[in-house]
Structure formats: structure tokens, C-alpha cells
Amino acid sequence: MSPAIPILLALALGLTGWLAARARAWALRREARAMESDLHSLPGYHGWYVALWAAAPATIFAIVWAAASPALVLARVLAAPAASALPAFGIQRDAILAEAQSLASGGGTAFNPASAALVEPFRAASGFYSTIGIAVTLLLGLAGGVFAFLRLRADFTARSRVERMVMGGLVLASLVAIFTTFGILASLMFETLRFFQVVSPADFLLGTHWGPDPMVDPSAIRPDNYGAIPLFWGTVFIGAIIAMVVAIPLGMMSAIYLTQYATPTLRKWMKPLLEILAGVPTVVYGYFAALTVAPLIRDFGHAIGIASASSESALAAGVVMGIMIIPFVSSMADDSIAAVPQAMRDGSLAMGATTSETIRRVLIPAALPGIVAGIMLAVSRAIGETMIVVMAAGATARLTANPFESMTTVTFQIVAMLTGEGSFDHPATLSAFALGMVLFLVTLTLNFVALRVVKRFREAYE
Amino acid sequence: MSDPAALRLKRRYAAERRFKVLGMAAVLFSGLVLAFLLFSMTANAIGGFKRAELRFELDLTSGVLTVDPAQLRGPDAQDALKGAGLPDVVAFAAARELGDAGAAEVEDGAWREVAARIVRDPVLLAGKFTVSLPASDDLAAALRGDAHKELQPLASRLADEGKLASAFDWGFLSRGDATGPQDVGIWGALKGSILTMAVTLALAFPVGVLAAVYLEEFSGRNRWAEMIEVSINNLAAVPSIIFGLLGLAVFLGLFPNWRSAPLIGGMTLALMTMPVIVISARNALKAVPPSIRDAALAVGASRVQTVFHHVLPLAMPGILTGTIIGMARALGETAPLLMIGMRAFVATPPEGLTSPATVLPVQIFLWSDEIDRGFVERTSAAIIVLLLFLLAMNGLAIYLRNRFEKRW
């Protein structure tokens, strides 16, 4: 059954309620005006009141039902006598069930004779539950609509009631952000704790060898294969060192040139160009790094006599990441320099300093807190970047300072562990959540501190 | 003026010039990198929009195919033509025109393109016409000259005879994914992207705008509002891959049947896009002058009426601009979708919100892993399509901003 049908049904009930209630309110208004009085609220609000009562509970039920009914259907099918012939567990069983289900909904072809027997139970069960779903949706909608409709009266305070519901909606919408934050924390925490039951936090945070094997029997894993230090080092080396060596000078100089030297026409053309650079998807940068930059860097490495230069190098990923971050650093530096009071600049110029002396000796020192905060935000963005390192940095965890070798990062390993072959309960898979937790906490701290610094810095000049 | 002072001044001016040149060089560098990136993608993409095609004459005038025209209108038309022996007829014609070696390099299943043409135009059933069918991946590589040395004599012979050429491949925009670079298309991924973006927009836009309205117009400065504000600012800076982990643990935990579905992908991206929309919507609401609110309240509107009848419509252009920019970011996003299983090989375009799908950036990522040189070109072509979409969205945002945004 498509979940769209009950939802559309609920909305149709809402529309009917809206039309009926508005008509009723018009009638009430005629009666009231005949007696030299008037409605408390405009007829439209009566309409919305009934429409919300008719549609909202029914829609919520329809959505919940759409989410819950597949599991109910499955349970009913498994209880049917035909299901006793299924293998007890494993991929075979899932495949047969999936095939029977797609056959029952009218698609696919039968490969497995066992699935044919299950088509009828599937059809019966999904028909049964979709009938229940539609019936309850209708009932809820009608009950809500009728309840609301019977309350309509000339002095009914429909507007304040509708506005209260709107306010409820607004609060609910803004709570989504909090739910999301807690959802992230809770899901990461839950899986991380499960991981720490197998591998102790000390082994994870302080170990220097990373080599989880998702195929090893979970009871026989060796905790010393789960040392994440090489990953942390790779992440810091690529995201916070190489990328920043590229991005900070280029971003700062671009911002200085565009705000202090460039003519308005040039600025008008160059700023969108930087914005385009910021808008290129990371997968494109990753492809660029892997296809174009990495071979160049490998050849350069060989040319200067580094035999170990690899075609997947930390340098390639870091440089391209730095290029990606340039617009970000530039716009942060731009904001901070613009926040320095004009009087300081004028004072320096009036004393006879050249423009560059003013920038280097007055503007940058005065804007330094803002610039540092901007760099912290840039670092937090760089270490959370995934696609560039997945495509260009390599999979080997290595503790080395040689930028021409391949190196792996936290984000790369999260992708590798979760898209691999391992089962969801295996410590290797769970380690991805622990890595995600570390990444989340580090970026959160960086952002929090940076935003504090920016706020303090703004206040200093206001 | 004494000599040392003049010298010092000269040095200072030289430093000033150097500094200015450095700044210009930094800006130029960004421009050059962008130009280089676009140039290298476009250069590869030109080949990606083409495919190697074998061209030969197909003669059906002798009536070798006996198919009831009524069957050609049904859904089983391709099967009917197959039953009538179309694959063999095509293979025979290919062998006669191209030689046995050439016929062996016609892509498997190429007869389906002939079948589709006959279904569109049944007159061809008894006609004589030229068909252009895709060559095999090996022959295509040989034509480009980067692999399969043993096929290169054949490729150059056929090319000289005008029977093998690379031609613009419209099918690239209308097919789904496949295993060989000659057969792939991006329509499947594009449709997946469109469905995913529709879900993202449907969820993130209302929630984001309503949250912004609450924070900007109603909440005042209480502790709740502060908590919401802090979490929105933090969510805006959380790495996208973390949202993927959330989607995997929560959404896929709740709906295990919908692995790789646009619905789940859209929900995950909506959580990521929502903070962006909230922040831009708040700025747009802030820009509406208080006099508008005062005027509405003064003539007796309630606060809800003031906001929904006057403030929100005036802020809408700004909100839409921010929304489009957030959506463009979501369209280019790859990492969170890898987490929730949208990296599976999906050959048929998705039929609905709950059928397995992939999206354009993930498709690019998947193709970039392939070794065949043909895939390099196809990947670049897909990147160009993605960049064009992003360009169009950003252009629309800029147009909206310039056209409708009021300066008070």
C-alpha cells in the first residue's frame, strides 16, 4: 500500500472541513448581523479551526502507520503456515521474503520457488493492514472534524485557538534542531558505548596501530588493532597542517587584496569567482585531486628523489582541500578586517604609513582574534571533509610526516568501515561511530570556542 | 631630503608594491585553479557525451521479420520483436556489413535500440535504413587508442570506411547505470537526485522557515530560545558525514526496508539543510523594518496575523535565496548518502520515493572508481551536468536577490 493514500485522504477531509466550516460561519454571521452583533472571528478562522482538527491527527496517524505497518505485515506473514518452510535465518531467508513482497505488490519475477507460496500471505496481510490504516485515518479525521464543527458558534474564539495551534507548530519546528542535536549525540553515544565494551577507550585513543578486520570473529578481535592515533595524525596532518598552509596565506591575501586594493569593478568580478570555488561539490574536488593533482604530485616527488611518493598522497588531498577552504578563510578574514574601526586605519595612514604597513601593523593585529576564530572554523571544516580524502588520500593508516606517502583520516575510515562487508554489530563497524563521536566533539569544541571569540571580538569594537 | 631617508622611502614603496603583487597573485591563483579545474573537466567531458557507434545498413524489405503490428503497440513489443528474430537479423546484417570481427564488437543487446526505433516508427518493419549501434567497450577503447592494441587495426579500418565513429550520445541523458562505459547513462542518478531534493525541500523548508519565525518574531530572549539558537549554530557546522551516521543509526534503524531510498536520503539531507535555511530566513526577517510590524499592529492585526500577512511575505525573496543556496549544497553532497546505502548499483531509474536509488554526486563517486578510460570521460561528463545544475540554481538565487530584494 502506498502511504500517500491515507495522507491524501486526511488532507481531503481537512479541505472538506475547511469548506463546510466556512459556509457554516457565513451562516452564523448572517444570523448574528441580523441581531446587531457579529462573529468573534472571521469565517476563515472557523474554517482553519475545523480543517486542522480534521487533518492534523489523521495525518500524524497516517505517517506513523506508514512507518509501522511494514513490520506488522511481516509479522503476520511469518505467522502464516506457509512461512514455516522458510530457512531459520540468514541471507536466503531475507531474499525469499523480499522477493515475495515485490511479487505481491505486482513487480519483479520469481527466481525462488519458495517465495511463490508466500505471495498470497503477503497480499492478504498488506491488504488487511492497509484497510485498517485507511479506516482509522477516516475515523480520526471524521471524529476530529465533527467535534470541531459542533463547537462553532457566533462567539466562538476561533482565531485565538487557531493562533495557539500555529504557535504550537512554530515551537515544534524550532525544537527539531534540538531533537537533531540530541539524536546525533544519542545515536553516536549508544554505538560508541557498545564499541567500548569490546575495545577499551584507552586502547582506542592511545593505540598506534589501526587495522580492524571486519571479517574476524567478533569474539576473537584484538584490541591493539583499534588504535586510532594514526588516524588522528592523518586527519590533523592533512586537514589542519597541509590544507591550512595552502589556505591561510592565499585566503588572507585574497581578502586583503579584494578589500584594500582592488577597484570596485575587479571586486565585483572576483568575489563571485571565489563563491563559485566555494560552491563546487566536494566530490568534484575529490575527483580533481585523484585524477589531476595526485599524479602531478607523485611525479614531482619522484623528480626530487622521493622514491616512496605514492599516487595517493596526503599532499594531494591536503592541497586540494586547502584550495576548497580558500573562499571560507577569505570571507572570514574579510569580515574581521571590516570590523576594525575606520579611525584606526585613518590614523595609521595619516601618520604616513603606506597601505601595506597599515594592513600589516594595524589592521591585522587588531583583527587577529577574528582571524584566529575564522581559522579555527576552517580547520573544523577541513577535518570533517570526507570526499576529498576518500578519493585521494588512501586507505593505509600510517604514522609518518612524509606528505608524499598515502595516509588515512578519521572520515575515510568511517566511510570504509560502514560501506564494507562487515555486519552491523561487528566492532569494526561500531568503531566508525566511535570515530564519529570524536570528530563530532572536536568540531563542536572548535566551533564553540571560535564563536565565543568572534562574539567577544565584536563587542570589543562596538 | 637627506639621502638615507630617500633610500628608506624607496624601500618602503618597493615593499608596498611587492605586497600588492602578492595579493593580486593570491586572487589570480584562485582564478587559475578554477579555470584549470573547469578546463580539465570539460576537456574530458566532451568525450563523455559521445560514444563509439558502428553504422551499417539494415535491410528488412525481404520481410524477414513477421510481427503483428498490433503487438508493436503493446508493452511486450520488444519481446515480440525478439521472438521474431530481430537480434539474429541485426547480427547477420552486422556480419555482412562489418565483417565477422566487426560484428563481434557490436555491444550485446544493441538490437534493443533498433527495436525501440521500430516501435516508434512501425513503417521501418519492412524498410531499409541505417542503424548506429554502440560498439563494445573494447572497440571504443581501441578507437580512442588507449587500450586493446589488438583491436586497433580493426578500429582504424572501420573508421576509415566511415562505419565507426564517435557520435553525440543523447542516450547518456536518458539511460540508467550499467556495467560498461558505452551503456551508462545518468538519468537514473538524476532522477534519484530530483526525488531526494524534493523530499529535502518538502521537509527542510517549512520546518526551517517556521523555526526562524519563532526565533525571530516570538521567542524573545528566554533560555529555550538560546538553547535552540546554539544548537542551530552548531548543526550548521557539524561535518556532513555525522548526519550520515545519524541517518544510518536512526532512520535506517526505524525503516530498514528503505535502504538506499530517496525518502531516507532526503530526510538525512533535510536535517543538514534546515540550519542553513533557518539562519538565512532569520537574516531575511531581521531585514524587514519594524515600522511594518508597528503599522499592522496599530490597525488591529494580531501578532500572528502581522507576521504571516505582512512580515513573512516581505522576507520571502531573501528566504528563497537562502533556501536555494542550501539546496544547492545538499545537491552536491555525497558523504552522508554513502552512509545510508545510496551507493548500491542501481540500473533502473527509481520509480518512487521508496525504491532503491542513487544520486548524481554518488554516481560520480562510483564511476570515479572504475579503471576503464571510458569511465573517466563519463565521470567528467556527469560532473559537468552536476555543475550546470548548481550553476542554474545559484543563478536563480542571484536573480531572485537582485529582482525582488527590497532595500529599506
Side-chain angles (χ1 to χ4, degrees), chain A residues 201-330:
Chain A
D203 284 335
F204 175 66
L205 292 172
L206 302 174
T208 56
H209 177 253
W210 178 264
D213 182 355
M215 288 299 137
V216 169
D217 180 14
S219 57
I221 62 132
R222 295 179 36 197
D224 53 351
N225 272 341
Y226 287 84
I229 291 280
L231 307 187
F232 299 151
W233 166 245
T235 309
V236 168
F237 191 55
I238 293 177
I241 299 178
I242 300 179
M244 289 305 130
V245 166
V246 175
I248 293 174
L250 286 168
M252 288 283 295
M253 286 312 287
S254 307
I256 287 169
Y257 184 75
L258 288 180
T259 53
Q260 309 291 327
Y261 288 106
T263 59
T265 339
L266 185 64
R267 190 157 60 225
K268 210 179 96 187
W269 284 99
M270 292 313 279
K271 269 203 119 149
L273 195 139
L274 281 179
E275 280 169 23
I276 294 179
L277 214 51
V280 173
T282 54
V283 68
V284 177
Y285 278 118
Y287 190 61
F288 180 62
L291 190 77
T292 314
V293 180
L296 282 180
I297 284 177
R298 183 198 53 208
D299 295 346
F300 175 72
H302 286 312
I304 60 167
I306 298 172
S308 64
S310 145
S311 64
E312 290 183 324
S313 59
L315 196 56
V319 166
V320 174
M321 199 185 277
I323 290 170
M324 185 190 85
I325 301 283
I326 288 175
F328 190 73
V329 173
S330 161

Side-chain angles (χ1 to χ4, degrees), chain A residues 25-42:
Chain A
W26 275 328
L28 285 173
R29 177 147 81 178
R30 273 194 301 278
E31 279 172 31
R33 287 198 172 155
M35 296 161 73
E36 303 280 298
S37 122
D38 205 346
L39 289 185
H40 170 274
S41 309
L42 293 171

Side-chain angles (χ1 to χ4, degrees), chain B residues 2-16:
Chain B
S2 64
D3 214 19
L7 219 65
R8 201 162 63 229
L9 199 61
K10 215 172 143 188
R11 256 204 326 271
R12 285 173 59 204
Y13 282 161
E16 168 77 21

